[in-house]
Each structure stands twice: as structure tokens, then as C-alpha cells.
Amino acid sequence: DVKVTQSSRYLVKRTGEKVFLECVQDMDHENMFWYRQDPGLGLRLIYFSYDVKMKEKGDIPEGYSVSREKKERFSLILESASTNQTSMYLCASSPRDRVNTIYFGEGSWLTVV
Amino acid sequence: QKEVEQNSGPLSVPEGAIASLNCTYSDRGSQSFFWYRQYSGKSPELIMFIYSNGDKEDGRFTAQLNKASQYVSLLIRDSQPSDSATYLCAVRIYGNNRLAFGKGNQVVVIP
């Protein structure tokens, strides 16, 4: 059974804290994605990666960075969390040229207070 | 213009009726189109994809694509309470390995 695992389902962090959201996939997929989802705004792409150590900005990269040191792991980093980053974060992965076969993690609910 | 637009508000349909959802996209070169269903608090799951103009049927779901008019729709026949969810339209960006999503439409099926 294919799996994308987000290590933290629910987090509460303080403004200014550094936050790490971890995502691991066990399908040997080349592509990995981080989205955030907010009511009325749908899924918005933050960053994506086509391969190890490669990253591309999505639609809303400001305030975020990513790390992909190993193929199976894609980390989203909030350098200094702010209240407007309170959201649900979704990690996803897909094979290199088959983006239609995209698998989502269960989501990480982040609250910044 | 947003890449993918789903503009209609929450849709309430009686059980057994047809639910109709619409989506428009801006990139005329887009080739692949997807519908995802998302239950509250859960991650999206793929229910339909379509690549060619016309209709594609899968069980109670029918996806319709019109590339000339740049819209894709989803019909849910014989709607069931279990169909109550948010439906997300997604388009593969031309020349890119990523999907652009619409903001979603909530469907409520009333028993």
C-alpha cells in the first residue's frame, strides 16, 4: 500500500518559532510537493522538488523554505512562524512524468499563536 | 486570471438527484484534467481524470471536457449522502509536472 506520511498531524507553535514539517514517501517517487489549504482558497502550491537537492518555488513560497536531502523525504521549514501561516499543510508525491498519479499525505494542521 | 476557477458556492442536492460541478481553466495548452474528492479533515483523493474532449464515465461519475471553451465538469448521478464532500478540480500545467487546483466546491446531499 502506497504511503505518504506526514510526521505531525497537529502542531501549535508560537510566533517567531522555527517550524519543521516532515514528509516521507515510500514509493520511490521523484516529485514531491508541499501545499497549504485554507478555507475558500483551495490548495496552493508552496514548493516542489523534482529530485534530490532540487527545489522549485510554487505560487506562495514567501516565508517558507524546503529541504530534500534524500529522495524519500521532503521537509517544509517556516523560518519564523507567523499567525498568517496557520493552515493545513499537505505533502504529496508523484512519479516523475505521471503527475496524474499523485498521492497525498494526511495533512498537518498548524496553528501559530 | 487564476489558473483554475471553481466559482459556484456550496451545492445542496436531494438524495438521488444529479449534482453538477463546473471548472474553467486559463492555460489553453493544458492537456490533463482531474477531479478530487475531499472529505472534511481528510486529504484529497482522485475520483476522475480526463484527457480528451467529450465525456468519460466511471460508475455514477461523469467528467466532461470542452477544450475549446476551456471548461471541465463533473456530474454525480444518483447522489448519495456519502458523496457529501468538497470536490476539487485540478489541471496539469502545460510543460510542467505539477497540478494547479481550484478552490473547490462543497456538495451536500440531503437524505
Side-chain angles (χ1 to χ4, degrees), chain A residues 37 88 109, chain B residues 36-45 47 60-61 80-87 107:
Chain A
Q37 187 172 31
M88 200 265 272
W109 295 86
Chain B
Y36 286 81
R37 176 177 62 200
Q38 186 176 25
Y39 293 114
S40 180
K42 300 292 187 183
S43 56
E45 55 179 330
I47 53 172
R60 296 185 295 109
F61 298 98
Q80 302 296 309
S82 60
D83 295 325
S84 297
T86 296
Y87 290 81
V107 172

Side-chain angles (χ1 to χ4, degrees), chain A residues 9 31 33 35 37 40-43 45 48 50 59 88 90 94 96-100 102 104-106 109, chain B residues 2-3 34 36 38 41-46 49 51 88 92 95-104:
Chain A
R9 291 299 313 276
N31 301 331
F33 309 86
Y35 291 90
Q37 187 172 31
L41 296 177
L43 269 73
L45 183 64
F48 58 106
Y50 291 141
D59 301 316
M88 200 265 272
L90 278 166
S94 75
R96 184 182 303 282
D97 294 317
R98 291 173 56 200
V99 71
N100 52 301
I102 190 169
F104 286 92
E106 288 296 307
W109 295 86
Chain B
K2 199 168 173 3
E3 291 171 316
F34 309 88
Y36 286 81
Q38 186 176 25
K42 300 292 187 183
S43 56
E45 55 179 330
L46 180 67
F49 61 88
Y51 303 146
L88 300 165
R92 180 175 179 175
N96 207 311
N97 275 335
R98 67 179 186 89
L99 297 179
F101 286 84
K103 64 182 180 181

